[in-house]
Amino acid sequence: MKVQEPEAGGICESLAGRDKGRLYLIAGIEGDVLLLCDGKYRLLKDPKRKNRKHVRLLPAFRKDIAERIAQGKDENRQIRAARAALEKGRREGAGR
């Protein structure tokens, strides 16, 4: 399944820059720029701004976290947990 358009709450992987390979949650969108957070190095209060063409959208979506972010709640702990679960799944899938 290929994701066509970025959406707040979606998960993406960085394709360029020194953070290449890192997973992020999309916290917001400003035109072609995505506001990304990982809950550890990039928190919701200071999201990373990254060009849309420098990320790969993954077929994962965290609606629960997106709704709480829209309400203005700090969800860095849940973002870290979601990233950890995705990274664990990626490692297990690569070992097959």
Side-chain angles (χ1 to χ4, degrees):
M1 181 171 126
K2 185 172 182 177
V3 181
Q4 299 294 327
E5 291 297 320
E7 188 175 347
I11 305 291
C12 65
E13 176 184 13
S14 174
L15 296 176
R18 65 182 184 184
D19 62 344
K20 183 177 179 178
R22 182 179 293 274
L23 295 179
Y24 289 101
L25 180 115
I26 301 171
I29 302 167
E30 293 179 353
D32 282 343
V33 176
L34 302 178
L35 304 176
L36 308 175
C37 55
D38 64 4
K40 184 174 182 179
Y41 301 109
R42 284 299 185 160
L43 305 178
L44 280 171
K45 66 180 180 181
D46 183 32
K48 179 173 186 63
R49 297 174 55 85
K50 196 153 185 89
N51 192 311
R52 161 68 180 91
K53 60 185 171 183
H54 294 160
V55 300
R56 179 171 60 109
L57 300 174
L58 300 176
F61 182 77
R62 296 300 308 259
K63 183 177 180 179
D64 54 332
I65 296 175
E67 290 173 353
R68 292 180 63 90
I69 290 172
Q71 295 171 1
K73 297 184 179 175
D74 186 11
E75 294 297 316
N76 291 310
R77 181 181 312 144
Q78 285 79 8
I79 293 169
R80 283 192 304 271
R83 277 188 55 240
L86 280 170
E87 288 176 354
K88 182 180 178 187
R90 289 174 70 185
R91 282 193 302 267
E92 290 175 359
R96 292 182 187 181

